[in-house]
Amino acid sequence: MKKLHISTTVNGDPAEFVCTPDESLLDALRNRLGLTGAKEGCGTGDCGACSVTVNGRLVCSCLVLAAEVEGAEIATIEGMADQDKLHPLQRAFIDHAALQCGVCTPGILVAAKSLLAKNPEPTDEEVRYWLAGNLCRCTGYDKIIRAVQSAAAEMRGA
Amino acid sequence: MAFDEYQKREFKQVGTRPNRPDGVDKVTGRAMYGADMTLPGMLVGRILRSPHAHAKIKSIDASAALALKGVKAVVTGADFARPEDDFLRDVQENCMARGKALYDGHAVAAVAAIDAATAKAALKLIKVDYEILPHVTDVDAAMKAGAPIVQDGRTLENVPAGMSGNVTSHSEFGHGDPAAGFAKADKVVERSFKTAATHQGYIEPHAAVASVTTDGKGELWCCTQGHFFVRTLCAGMLGMEASQLRVTPSEIGGGFGGKTTVFIEPVALMLSKKAGRPVKVVMTRDEVFRATGPTVSTSIDVKIGMTKDGRITAGEAYLRYSGGAFPCGTIDMGGQAAFAAYDLEHVRTYGWNVLTNRPKEAAYRAPGAPQAIYAVESVVDELCLALKLDPLDVRLKNAAKKGTKSSYGPTFPDIGLVATLEAAHKHPHYTAPLGPNQARGLSCGFWFNFGGNTCVSLNVNTDGTVGITEGNPDIGGSRASVSLMAAEELGIPYEQIRTIVADTNSLGYNDVTDGSRVTFAVGLATIKAARDAVRKMCQRAAKIWDIDEEAVEWKDGAAVPAGPNAGKFPPMTLAEIAADSFATGGPIAGHHEVNVDGAGVSFGVHLVDVEVDKDTGATKVLRYTIFQDAGKAVHPDYVEGQMQGGAVQGIGWALNEEYIYGKDGRLQNAGFLDYRIPVASDLPPIETVILEIPNPGHPYGVRGVGETPIVPPLAAISNAVSRAIGTRMCELPMSPPRILKAIGTTA
Ligand code: FES
Ligand code: FES
């Protein structure tokens, strides 16, 4: 299959790759750019482990074609911390033990960050519905909801 | 006194909630999971799977695939020697079919190619000539005379004559004379239940990168709960020596028992061996559902007798489990666990394992126990309702306690069941008001817990910090709890310890991360490795002070003279001793290896409130509280996490999750869209109450906690739903159509 050349921005830095026309953004990020933070849990848009944002919009990167992101701004878990300073959500997840195996964590953090950008003071129910597309099999979500709320409170205070 | 016996003590660090050592890696995307590994020159491996539930493989023609540009190797069952050992042969035949495909999704061939697209194209070019055979996927149907036989000649001698050839084993547990007990009952209830097979549902699919070189050495990187066992299995299948196959566990994205065996690992190794290059194999979610995991599917009859005042006079259970297309021992654990929560004079369980054309069962959190206990706890609840008795009072009245001869044989030492029941009784949840269409359910849960082979090394660094090398993949925070126990024992801060999980060449054999054994057994070995290092540090101090070794003891992280006669020396800290170590005899390390016994059993009680929508049949979980004995909660955050996660898996099992097979024997819902695990918006907060009844078999009193929590939700929710709709539910999951059907039959 003839490959396409794509120029894009990932976590603020210019990034280029070649991909096949049927390749997912998730595969391009992981296999072409070496950004393995986003995970493939299903490849069908059902688990959210591959969550990233494209031009600020939360997407399942397994459902986006890599060829579609020409000129777009992509944000992944690798760009969430500000150099050596963790994002409040990242700190809250560690402090509240909101991860066990951690494989869902990158996707959940990206999704939670996009929630708080839209709604800085969500109710627990709003958090639960926003994260309903992010499966976590380990935690039962309880500590995840608490961690998101704690980070939200901190971010509102800041 | 035995070294590992529990001794009461004040803990300084155990029981606190420090940050886990792998936290930053995991919130920044840096942690390396199975699929994240890449090697130079790596090929992509993919597996061809049977579309048929049961078929003879007449021939496999891979010539067209091999002729495709970029294809480097094809592997089929014929590439593997046939192991003598039954167990190993079953695992191997599950990884790659030989002669027959035994279920939809059974691997029949594999390719390695330069990229995923080429590998995928090559799979399409492999021609498999199948002769389709009749199949059976239901456990009861498979037991009937005349059912299609899944595998011939697998019946053990203890199976009574005249049963279907699919019945592979029989087991019986218990004591007393149930018939005599039933005669004394005021009420006897007998019911039949069915539970669907469910999947562990870990979010990370299986992944392996293998590299075998022409000199017979192998490297394997994979996500597994037990890399030493992976080595044993793979070395056995490939005819390699254990020393020549190094297995390194990646970070693991969930397992719950499902990653205690191998599926793609030997295939990746064989592809690499044939291709002469590293090969990576990653399963798709569809493959995970069709070819790994699921639990047994079951059919169970339970009969229990009770007096008017709530004393159980006898209990009996007939358990029929299917572990898929291969013989499976899970039935034994179901039979042993069924009545474990009760102190009974007359109790008996009878179990059969039955072959069906389904994937080979893999362990899932307390394998075999949730189903059996679901059936027993449902009947106990029905008796409580019929006799108008409080369900917690009845459980308290019959609860197993210290000295009880358990239904499966051993006499219990100190156990925490009564304490958890009393805690549930006192909790405001138990008496909170309920609205219309709402009801409360409860259930006890139990798991044996394992100990097993464990090996830990502890290195004292010259700067006064400590490195721990252990051999059990960290599936939910165990590096934190191991570090905490070492910190406690050594008397140095948690932050000065770093625990790593080492590969198979760096440490002696460690059993799989299963049976809730890690915090218990690795913890015990760590404490003893620390004591070994402490002894050596005391020797060094004795040498420096020029006094007798016995005259030195360890206190608060330092060597001190033992008593006034030993001499007057200021305490010498671990850091000081470590800094001097090159001059006093060289590096200091502690080590311990053991086959640990004494894993204390764990009991829990769950309370749940549900609301059933009688129009749609949907059940909403409104409130959920867990009471569980942890022995000693080393890192309470992760104990709570185990309780919450296990309970939610149980909620999924009770309400939604099931393997659905079509008439053609194919799995109908091999994806997260149709196999629906609980999502955040389905759930309330999960409240946890940790009880600490020390396990006499562990120096700190620790019990495993990981498995018990999946046991009670099945019956707790079924009891709540049954009470809400006024009809006893006898089948899991209680999906809306089943509930509507049940309501229909009452109307
Ligand atoms: S991998 Fe994209 S949603 Fe699951
Ligand atoms: S922490 Fe394991 S899936 Fe969420």
Side-chain angles (χ1 to χ4, degrees):
Chain A
M1 225 176 303
K2 199 164 149 14
K3 293 203 170 94
L4 305 163
H5 176 262
I6 304 296
S7 302
T8 177
T9 304
V10 179
N11 300 324
D13 294 326
E16 292 184 43
F17 57 85
V18 289
C19 64
T20 56
D22 62 351
E23 191 165 325
S24 72
L25 173 59
L26 177 62
D27 280 344
L29 287 170
R30 290 179 55 86
N31 302 335
R32 310 265 180 203
L33 295 174
L35 294 172
T36 53
K39 307 297 178 196
E40 178 165 324
C42 66
T44 51
D46 299 312
C47 78
C50 62
S51 299
V52 302
T53 61
V54 176
N55 295 327
R57 203 171 129 239
L58 180 64
V59 296
C60 292
S61 62
C62 71
L63 294 184
V64 175
L65 287 173
E68 288 179 76
V69 301
E70 173 69 34
E73 303 239 354
I74 296 161
T76 71
I77 186 64
E78 285 91 345
M80 195 155 173
D82 180 8
Q83 309 251 33
D84 60 351
K85 242 182 93 226
L86 293 183
H87 188 277
L89 275 163
Q90 291 173 309
R91 260 188 290 113
F93 268 58
I94 298 175
D95 289 344
H96 287 78
L99 52 138
Q100 280 177 36
C101 79
V103 80
C104 67
T105 309
I108 291 187
L109 285 169
V110 168
K113 186 178 168 201
S114 97
L115 166 66
L116 299 185
K118 280 190 205 313
N119 180 356
E121 202 168 352
T123 62
D124 281 1
E125 195 167 4
E126 285 169 332
V127 178
R128 284 183 181 275
Y129 274 92
W130 184 270
L131 294 180
N134 290 85
L135 300 181
C136 173
R137 191 60 157 171
C138 298
T139 64
Y141 306 101
D142 188 286
K143 292 185 191 299
I144 291 176
I145 309 303
R146 286 170 213 262
V148 172
Q149 291 292 29
S150 151
E154 184 190 326
M155 287 162 72
R156 289 195 301 274
Chain B
M1 196 194 77
F3 205 17
D4 29 334
E5 250 167 46
Y6 170 72
Q7 266 187 306
K8 199 170 162 58
R9 61 189 285 164
E10 290 295 318
F11 291 103
K12 293 203 169 79
Q13 300 189 65
V14 160
T16 63
R17 302 171 185 246
N19 287 344
R20 64 194 280 166
D22 51 329
V24 174
D25 277 351
K26 287 183 174 166
V27 300
T28 54
R30 260 187 248 190
M32 295 277 286
Y33 292 84
D36 299 338
M37 177 74 164
T38 312
L39 289 179
M42 191 176 80
L43 303 171
V44 175
R46 301 237 11 189
I47 294 176
L48 183 70
R49 296 183 181 278
S50 167
H52 306 298
H54 196 190
K56 193 165 157 204
I57 301 168
K58 288 163 68 182
S59 65
I60 300 176
D61 176 5
S63 54
L66 278 164
L68 186 68
K69 215 170 151 71
V71 172
K72 302 293 176 187
V74 171
V75 162
T76 68
D79 288 297
F80 293 89
R82 214 170 145 76
E84 294 273 306
D85 178 70
D86 274 359
F87 175 82
L88 187 62
R89 200 172 56 237
D90 282 349
V91 176
Q92 180 180 303
E93 285 189 8
N94 188 47
C95 293
M96 195 54 75
R98 220 190 151 99
K100 273 214 297 187
L102 297 170
Y103 54 89
D104 164 42
H106 197 169
V108 294
V111 300
I114 49 165
D115 55 31
T118 310
K120 223 169 140 178
L123 288 188
K124 292 211 176 92
L125 297 173
I126 298 178
K127 285 194 211 76
V128 186
D129 188 9
Y130 292 106
E131 177 190 329
I132 297 176
L133 302 170
H135 65 270
V136 59
T137 54
D138 177 74
V139 54
D140 290 324
M143 264 183 107
K144 291 215 173 84
I149 299 299
V150 178
Q151 287 199 55
D152 248 331
R154 300 308 304 266
T155 300
L156 293 181
E157 285 157 13
N158 62 5
V159 175
M163 296 192 101
S164 152
N166 287 321
V167 179
T168 57
S169 64
H170 174 66
S171 52
E172 262 184 63
F173 299 95
H175 53 254
D177 173 9
F182 290 128
K184 282 190 238 157
D186 293 310
K187 177 138 187 93
V188 176
V189 167
E190 209 176 340
R191 281 259 181 212
S192 298
F193 300 87
K194 280 201 113 160
T195 69
T198 56
H199 194 275
Q200 296 82 352
Y202 31 80
I203 306 302
E204 179 202 32
H206 299 259
V209 178
S211 177
V212 179
T213 46
T214 47
D215 56 359
K217 292 192 177 60
E219 294 279 341
L220 181 65
W221 157 284
C222 60
C223 52
T224 174
Q225 290 175 243
H227 45 303
F228 290 90
F229 191 48
V230 167
R231 180 186 66 181
T232 304
L233 294 172
C234 292
M237 291 180 205
L238 278 99
M240 294 172 81
E241 283 169 8
S243 62
Q244 301 309 310
L245 176 59
R246 182 168 74 142
V247 185
T248 306
S250 67
E251 291 297 330
I252 176 168
F256 316 110
K259 290 177 183 164
T260 55
T261 182
V262 296
F263 300 98
I264 53 175
E265 294 80 357
V267 179
L269 284 164
M270 188 59 87
L271 284 169
S272 172
K273 187 177 174 184
K274 286 184 94 171
R277 282 167 67 169
V279 174
K280 173 153 139 181
V281 179
V282 180
M283 276 194 178
T284 62
R285 180 55 55 182
D286 176 84
E287 289 179 284
V288 172
F289 274 113
R290 286 168 67 210
T292 74
T295 63
V296 292
S297 52
T298 78
S299 159
I300 302 170
D301 309 326
V302 168
K303 182 175 174 184
I304 298 176
M306 198 180 273
T307 60
K308 276 203 285 277
D309 61 348
R311 183 71 191 136
I312 298 177
T313 59
E316 222 173 47
Y318 295 81
L319 306 140
R320 297 165 294 272
Y321 283 18
S322 176
F326 297 87
C328 171
T330 296
I331 183 64
D332 297 357
M333 293 191 276
Q336 294 179 59
F339 289 99
Y342 296 101
D343 182 358
L344 301 177
E345 209 182 321
H346 306 291
V347 59
R348 184 87 55 198
T349 64
Y350 308 85
W352 292 271
N353 180 66
V354 189
L355 299 177
T356 52
N357 293 109
R358 289 173 175 249
K360 187 177 191 305
E361 184 248 24
Y364 181 19
R365 241 178 174 143
Q371 301 94 330
I373 290 176
Y374 151 71
V376 167
E377 290 291 89
S378 294
V379 172
V380 170
D381 192 62
E382 189 169 349
L383 282 160
C384 293
L385 270 173
L387 296 167
K388 299 198 169 49
L389 297 166
D390 177 88
L392 264 181
D393 289 344
V394 166
R395 272 139 181 122
L396 271 166
K397 190 166 226 154
N398 295 284
K401 49 185 100 46
K402 186 175 179 172
T404 294
K405 182 177 164 55
S406 68
S407 56
Y408 59 98
T411 299
F412 285 131
D414 268 331
I415 55 172
L417 177 58
V418 169
T420 56
L421 287 164
E422 282 170 349
H425 223 305
K426 281 205 299 269
H427 195 277
H429 183 171
Y430 194 53
T431 45
L434 291 161
N437 297 324
Q438 298 180 358
R440 179 164 302 136
L442 67 93
S443 169
C444 298
F446 160 86
W447 185 243
F448 310 91
N449 292 336
F450 300 169
N453 293 297
T454 310
C455 184
V456 170
S457 288
L458 184 152
N459 296 307
V460 179
N461 304 318
T462 50
D463 66 352
T465 63
V466 165
I468 295 175
T469 307
E470 53 124 329
N472 276 96
D474 177 351
I475 204 153
S478 58
R479 274 166 292 196
S481 56
V482 164
S483 295
L484 265 173
M485 285 183 270
E488 184 77 44
E489 198 62 33
L490 295 168
I492 63 170
Y494 167 83
E495 291 73 21
Q496 291 179 7
I497 296 177
R498 181 158 185 194
T499 299
I500 63 137
V501 180
D503 64 72
T504 51
N505 276 45
S506 304
L507 201 61
Y509 193 92
N510 280 272
D511 278 336
V512 174
T513 295
D514 70 355
S516 302
R517 70 173 219 96
V518 174
T519 306
F520 166 73
V522 179
L524 182 142
T526 300
I527 291 165
K528 291 192 180 180
R531 288 178 183 170
D532 186 34
V534 160
R535 192 172 47 79
K536 289 170 182 160
M537 289 189 285
C538 288
Q539 286 168 352
R540 301 295 174 95
K543 198 167 181 180
I544 293 167
W545 292 334
D546 198 19
I547 62 173
D548 219 27
E549 240 178 86
E550 273 78 69
V552 181
E553 63 184 20
W554 193 257
K555 237 185 122 190
D556 296 333
V560 292
N565 296 339
K568 247 185 142 28
F569 303 98
M572 209 174 172
T573 64
L574 180 145
E576 288 163 347
I577 296 170
D580 255 2
S581 59
F582 292 178
T584 59
I588 300 169
H591 187 78
H592 193 76
E593 63 264 311
V594 61
N595 188 350
V596 193
D597 227 341
V601 301
S602 166
F603 284 97
V605 177
H606 292 197
L607 282 185
V608 60
D609 297 351
V610 304
E611 180 172 312
V612 180
D613 182 327
K614 290 190 175 158
D615 294 325
T616 63
T619 300
K620 178 121 189 101
V621 178
L622 303 170
R623 185 171 181 183
Y624 206 100
T625 312
I626 304 173
F627 307 84
Q628 192 180 321
D629 172 20
K632 175 72 203 168
V634 175
H635 192 309
D637 274 348
Y638 293 104
V639 172
E640 292 162 5
Q642 288 297 314
M643 290 159 69
Q644 292 167 327
V648 167
Q649 288 182 319
I651 291 171
W653 199 336
L655 293 175
N656 294 313
E657 296 179 31
E658 72 180 304
Y659 264 46
I660 300 171
Y661 280 92
K663 278 205 169 55
D664 56 2
R666 290 185 185 153
L667 185 62
Q668 304 289 294
N669 57 336
F672 279 135
L673 188 62
D674 300 314
Y675 182 98
R676 191 174 182 285
I677 71 172
V679 304
S681 54
D682 294 336
L683 297 162
I686 309 289
E687 204 183 322
T688 53
V689 179
I690 301 174
L691 286 295
E692 294 186 326
I693 291 81
N695 169 17
H698 185 278
Y700 293 175
V702 170
R703 296 176 197 272
V705 296
E707 284 163 294
T708 299
I710 201 172
V711 179
L714 281 59
I717 296 172
S718 182
N719 292 342
V721 168
S722 300
R723 285 169 182 254
I725 64 171
T727 301
R728 180 60 41 185
M729 295 298 292
C730 296
E731 191 168 355
L732 296 184
M734 295 174 289
S735 49
R738 288 211 179 100
I739 288 186
L740 287 178
K741 198 169 149 216
I743 294 172
T745 50
T746 32

Short mmCIF file of all heavy atoms in Angstrom, two decimals, chain A residues 99-104 136-139, chain B residues 203, ligand 2:
data_model
loop_
_atom_site.label_atom_id
_atom_site.label_comp_id
_atom_site.label_asym_id
_atom_site.label_seq_id
_atom_site.Cartn_x
_atom_site.Cartn_y
_atom_site.Cartn_z
N LEU A 99 -5.18 4.13 40.58
CA LEU A 99 -4.81 3.14 39.57
C LEU A 99 -4.31 1.89 40.27
O LEU A 99 -3.71 1.97 41.33
CB LEU A 99 -3.72 3.68 38.64
CG LEU A 99 -2.47 4.27 39.28
CD1 LEU A 99 -1.23 3.81 38.53
CD2 LEU A 99 -2.55 5.78 39.28
N GLN A 100 -4.60 0.78 39.65
CA GLN A 100 -4.00 -0.47 40.12
C GLN A 100 -3.01 -0.94 39.07
O GLN A 100 -1.82 -0.79 39.23
CB GLN A 100 -5.08 -1.50 40.40
CG GLN A 100 -5.74 -1.26 41.77
CD GLN A 100 -6.86 -2.22 42.04
OE1 GLN A 100 -6.81 -3.38 41.67
NE2 GLN A 100 -7.90 -1.74 42.70
N CYS A 101 -3.51 -1.49 37.96
CA CYS A 101 -2.56 -1.91 36.93
C CYS A 101 -2.08 -0.71 36.13
O CYS A 101 -0.99 -0.71 35.58
CB CYS A 101 -3.19 -2.95 36.01
SG CYS A 101 -4.30 -2.27 34.76
N GLY A 102 -2.91 0.31 36.02
CA GLY A 102 -2.49 1.55 35.37
C GLY A 102 -2.66 1.59 33.86
O GLY A 102 -2.34 2.60 33.23
N VAL A 103 -3.16 0.53 33.25
CA VAL A 103 -3.21 0.54 31.78
C VAL A 103 -4.32 1.44 31.26
O VAL A 103 -4.24 1.99 30.17
CB VAL A 103 -3.29 -0.89 31.21
CG1 VAL A 103 -4.71 -1.44 31.28
CG2 VAL A 103 -2.78 -0.94 29.78
N CYS A 104 -5.35 1.65 32.07
CA CYS A 104 -6.43 2.55 31.67
C CYS A 104 -6.09 4.00 31.98
O CYS A 104 -6.78 4.91 31.55
CB CYS A 104 -7.72 2.20 32.41
SG CYS A 104 -7.60 2.51 34.20
N CYS A 136 -12.27 0.75 33.16
CA CYS A 136 -11.24 0.35 34.11
C CYS A 136 -11.74 -0.93 34.75
O CYS A 136 -12.84 -0.98 35.28
CB CYS A 136 -11.01 1.41 35.19
SG CYS A 136 -9.89 0.81 36.47
N ARG A 137 -10.94 -1.98 34.67
CA ARG A 137 -11.39 -3.25 35.21
C ARG A 137 -10.87 -3.48 36.63
O ARG A 137 -11.31 -4.40 37.30
CB ARG A 137 -10.90 -4.37 34.28
CG ARG A 137 -11.50 -5.73 34.57
CD ARG A 137 -13.02 -5.79 34.45
NE ARG A 137 -13.49 -7.14 34.19
CZ ARG A 137 -14.75 -7.52 34.22
NH1 ARG A 137 -15.71 -6.62 34.49
NH2 ARG A 137 -15.10 -8.75 33.95
N CYS A 138 -9.92 -2.66 37.06
CA CYS A 138 -9.26 -2.94 38.35
C CYS A 138 -9.90 -2.24 39.54
O CYS A 138 -9.96 -2.79 40.62
CB CYS A 138 -7.81 -2.52 38.32
SG CYS A 138 -6.78 -3.37 37.13
N THR A 139 -10.31 -0.99 39.36
CA THR A 139 -10.54 -0.15 40.55
C THR A 139 -11.99 -0.04 40.98
O THR A 139 -12.27 0.41 42.10
CB THR A 139 -10.09 1.30 40.28
OG1 THR A 139 -10.92 1.84 39.23
CG2 THR A 139 -8.64 1.36 39.86
N ILE B 203 -7.91 -4.89 30.69
CA ILE B 203 -7.94 -3.94 29.58
C ILE B 203 -6.74 -4.15 28.63
O ILE B 203 -6.80 -3.79 27.46
CB ILE B 203 -7.99 -2.48 30.10
CG1 ILE B 203 -9.16 -2.30 31.07
CG2 ILE B 203 -8.08 -1.48 28.97
CD1 ILE B 203 -10.53 -2.62 30.50
S1 FES C 2 -6.23 0.37 36.80
FE1 FES C 2 -6.26 -1.50 35.68
S2 FES C 2 -7.74 -1.09 34.19
FE2 FES C 2 -7.81 0.66 35.40
#
